[in-house]
Amino acid sequence: MQPAINQPIYDVIIAGAGPVGLFLACELALARCSVLVLEKAPSPHSPLKRLPFGLRGLNALSVEALDRRGLLAELAVPKSLTTPHFTTKPGPSPSPKPQAGGHFAGIQLPADKIDFAQWPYRLPSSTSTQLFSELEELETVLARRAEALGVSIRRGRGITALRPTPEGVTVQAGEQSFLGRWLVGCDGGRSVVRKLGGFDFVGTEPEFTGYTAQVDILDPEKLRPGRNVTPTGMYMQSQPGYLILQDFDGGAFHQAGQPVTLEHMQELTRRISGTDVTLTALHLATTWTDRARQTTAYRRGRVLLAGDAAHIHSPLGGQGINLGLGDALNLGWKLAATIHGHAPAGLLDSYQTERHPVGAQVLDWSRAQVAIMRPNPAAQALHAIVRDLMDTPDGATYFAGRIWGLRTRYDLGAGHPLVGHSAPHFALEDGTTLNEHLRDGRGLLLDFEADETLKAWAGRFGGQIKYVSGRAKEQLGMRAVLVRPDGFVAWASERQGIGSELPQATRH
Ligand SMILES: Cc1cc2nc3c(=O)[nH]c(=O)nc-3n(C[C@H](O)[C@H](O)[C@H](O)COP(=O)(O)OP(=O)(O)OC[C@H]3O[C@@H](n4cnc5c(N)ncnc54)[C@H](O)[C@@H]3O)c2cc1C
């Protein structure tokens, strides 16, 4: 594996131009790193990435992240499926409230029961708590932004080998080799980087095979609307002619890699729905399982993992992209700071300490859903109890917080209750917003009191921290907030004379 003479050395090579690899490329390029993305598939297009197969639910954190980089407005499809924006602020019950917004084990979240007062720091936002996007469109928007920022995307170049060198990593893609100071595997659930990099990938084996299929149905009225958990599995007609099924076969069908036939779909649909429905044609089908695994480490030397390469789980409740985009957002600025030599000690390690627990929680979230969907009386009894609990204000608020990502909090030490959470969407009296101020990817010190000490403190970071002073329309009692490049609060204070608190309070 000898690189050609005079070959460029990229700061970062990313394996995989899926949503996570592309978003990470954007983050790194925004922070002035040179980035090469190597993608195995020769074409970015696939019917599995387009509606309805490619429909992906983005949670509040992903929607905020895209908005904080000015990418949300570029997503056109399908705005009609966007759930209403919601408003949470201390005081009387806000409006409007969302009408829909996810499910747990097929149980629809009762949005009208959510107690918004339990999220006192969430401000009115121009962004939604949940939005559905088409995978192909999301990737197109991200690839366009990445290329505009100078990222080189090479398609039809699957990584086949890698070798650590003193300066970084040499990567082989077919006949060609490439040099990077760092390599990030964003190459999906079957990650080659994970295997070649020697990462341990541990977890639980699947209980079912899931199917998403486009079919012609002679008598679709025989199938009930919505998501139906039955004594033999789960079925859903997501829209006319599109079926989603779960068959508790221990994942055997998917693992055997057999082609899905019309006869197979017919037998399954009848068995799971308990009807004699008739399918007359099968156009397209894909299978998946609930295998849940996570690498024990997200980094080995100069090789890192993000997205499905680091964790896989069932798509129940749609958490995978959200988890992966969160990885990319967390890793991008830390890796860039490391490359530019201004990262404090331990910053890159905090990628693992912050993101691994979030990934483990999502794996457990998916396992918990499977546990109450099993086709046995005990699971069905539990399913009924969870349904009842979800229908209470505390239950609905808890589930919404998990499904929308609002409960995500990094352990950044003691301090104001906001520390470790995604920042509230402050709107300043000059008409600008927190999300807009984060668009250039820098940290942000929002000073609501025009405190000269704070201004001087921010100035010591040579432009890495943007200082903005101005009154907010709603300050939530806050005097100043320090926000990391990824939009999470590193420090906040409600007290006067706070400048002296800052240096100790900003490990990250
Ligand atoms: C049916 C279904 C429904 C889902 N619904 C949702 C949902 O509603 N919400 C949600 O958040 N998530 C959902 N997910 C999960 C989500 O799609 C994934 O978590 C997400 O696509 C992961 O993104 P990624 O970039 O990590 O990996 P991928 O999207 O898998 O992208 C990896 C890329 O790497 C490339 N690659 C592979 N090997 C190599 C190699 N050797 N070298 C270079 N490139 C390589 C691949 O071609 C691919 O382009 C769903 C998944 C399924 C199966």
Side-chain angles (χ1 to χ4, degrees):
M1 206 199 292
Q2 280 304 321
I5 298 163
N6 294 333
Q7 204 177 2
I9 303 177
Y10 293 92
D11 288 330
V12 185
I13 295 178
I14 295 174
V20 177
L22 290 170
F23 190 50
L24 179 62
C26 292
E27 289 295 289
L28 289 163
L30 189 62
R32 294 173 295 101
C33 296
S34 59
V35 184
L36 169 69
V37 178
L38 295 172
E39 164 58 47
K40 184 165 91 174
S43 163
H45 307 294
S46 157
L48 293 174
K49 291 183 188 175
R50 289 195 288 270
L51 292 172
F53 283 81
L55 192 65
R56 296 290 183 269
L58 300 179
N59 70 15
L61 294 185
S62 298
V63 175
E64 275 171 1
L66 293 171
D67 191 42
R68 286 168 180 175
R69 297 300 185 249
L71 289 159
L72 189 63
E74 294 184 34
L75 285 176
V77 177
K79 290 286 189 216
S80 58
L81 288 175
T82 304
T83 53
H85 309 152
F86 82 104
T87 307
T88 62
K89 46 188 167 182
S93 186
S95 65
K97 288 182 175 182
Q99 290 153 0
H103 73 93
F104 181 83
I107 308 167
Q108 196 63 35
L109 183 66
D112 58 332
K113 295 270 168 50
I114 296 167
D115 175 11
F116 292 88
Q118 292 189 29
W119 300 322
Y121 295 105
R122 214 160 161 84
L123 281 170
S125 169
S126 57
T127 64
S128 170
T129 49
Q130 217 194 21
L131 177 142
F132 288 92
S133 174
E134 187 190 53
L135 190 53
E136 186 162 302
E137 197 214 359
L138 179 63
E139 290 183 2
T140 304
V141 165
L142 292 171
R144 193 166 58 220
R145 170 63 64 87
E147 285 179 325
L149 289 166
V151 173
S152 174
I153 303 174
R154 309 275 291 269
R155 299 188 186 274
R157 299 274 195 289
I159 290 185
T160 47
L162 61 91
R163 184 169 58 84
T165 67
E167 304 81 34
V169 187
T170 303
V171 166
Q172 188 83 29
E175 298 296 303
Q176 275 188 289
S177 60
F178 302 89
L179 293 176
R181 292 190 174 85
W182 296 84
L183 169 67
V184 188
C186 301
D187 49 343
R190 296 186 176 155
S191 172
V192 168
V193 173
R194 182 181 70 224
K195 289 169 195 153
L196 295 174
F199 289 84
D200 287 332
F201 197 43
V202 300
T204 47
E205 289 307 302
E207 297 190 34
F208 66 76
T209 297
Y211 299 77
T212 308
Q214 182 186 5
V215 292
D216 289 342
I217 308 177
L218 185 67
D219 39 11
E221 67 285 354
K222 288 183 175 166
L223 299 176
R224 285 198 301 270
R227 204 176 288 265
N228 300 281
V229 176
T230 74
T232 49
M234 190 284 295
Y235 79 92
M236 176 183 177
Q237 196 179 186
S238 58
Q239 55 177 274
Y242 290 92
L243 287 177
I244 298 173
L245 304 176
Q246 270 169 248
D247 181 28
F248 280 80
D249 66 347
F253 187 89
H254 176 86
Q255 284 170 320
Q258 301 170 55
V260 181
T261 61
L262 175 63
E263 294 68 34
H264 183 68
M265 281 304 291
Q266 171 75 85
E267 184 277 320
L268 270 182
T269 312
R270 285 187 172 180
R271 174 159 53 82
I272 293 172
S273 68
T275 69
D276 61 355
V277 67
T278 299
L279 311 187
T280 52
L282 172 68
H283 301 292
L284 192 60
T286 179
T287 64
W288 34 276
T289 74
D290 58 319
R291 172 180 282 119
R293 289 193 177 205
Q294 187 179 24
T295 52
T296 51
Y298 280 16
R299 175 186 165 199
R300 292 196 73 206
R302 284 178 174 255
V303 183
L304 294 125
L305 299 175
D308 280 14
H311 36 69
I312 55 164
H313 55 85
S314 87
L316 286 174
Q319 304 262 342
I321 284 195
N322 298 304
L323 190 54
L325 293 179
D327 290 347
L329 191 66
N330 190 284
L331 175 60
W333 66 279
K334 294 175 180 176
L335 185 53
T338 306
I339 288 165
H340 295 315
H342 51 65
L347 183 68
L348 192 55
D349 293 337
S350 73
Y351 169 55
Q352 156 98 19
T353 49
E354 290 178 8
R355 292 305 298 173
H356 194 278
V358 179
Q361 280 170 14
V362 169
L363 260 64
D364 278 347
W365 189 251
S366 72
R367 288 184 185 114
Q369 294 183 72
V370 176
I372 64 165
M373 293 175 97
R374 288 178 190 136
N376 67 51
Q380 283 155 25
L382 268 174
H383 195 267
I385 291 170
V386 172
R387 181 185 293 275
D388 285 348
L389 291 175
M390 256 175 99
D391 207 30
T392 63
D394 280 350
T397 310
Y398 171 82
F399 278 90
R402 294 287 301 258
I403 292 167
W404 296 346
L406 302 178
R407 291 176 68 96
T408 303
R409 180 180 175 274
Y410 301 137
D411 181 6
L412 302 185
H416 192 276
L418 258 183
V419 170
H421 286 280
S422 180
H425 188 57
F426 290 109
L428 302 186
E429 285 178 351
D430 66 5
T432 60
T433 65
L434 174 125
N435 284 8
E436 288 163 11
H437 285 297
L438 285 170
R439 296 232 161 119
D440 62 10
R442 290 186 289 160
L444 173 69
L445 179 55
L446 257 186
D447 178 1
F448 302 124
E449 305 288 329
D451 182 324
E452 283 300 320
T453 338
L454 293 184
K455 187 176 182 184
W457 182 88
R460 298 211 309 257
F461 291 86
Q464 288 167 47
I465 296 179
K466 180 175 174 178
Y467 172 82
V468 173
S469 125
R471 303 286 303 170
K473 288 179 185 160
E474 285 181 68
Q475 288 182 194
L476 305 175
M478 223 78 62
R479 289 183 174 268
V481 185
L482 180 65
V483 185
R484 306 194 313 188
D486 60 3
F488 280 73
V489 175
W491 171 89
S493 184
E494 300 183 5
R495 295 197 288 127
Q496 262 179 324
I498 47 185
S500 58
E501 292 176 23
L502 265 163
Q504 296 78 33
T506 51
R507 275 189 298 120
H508 301 317

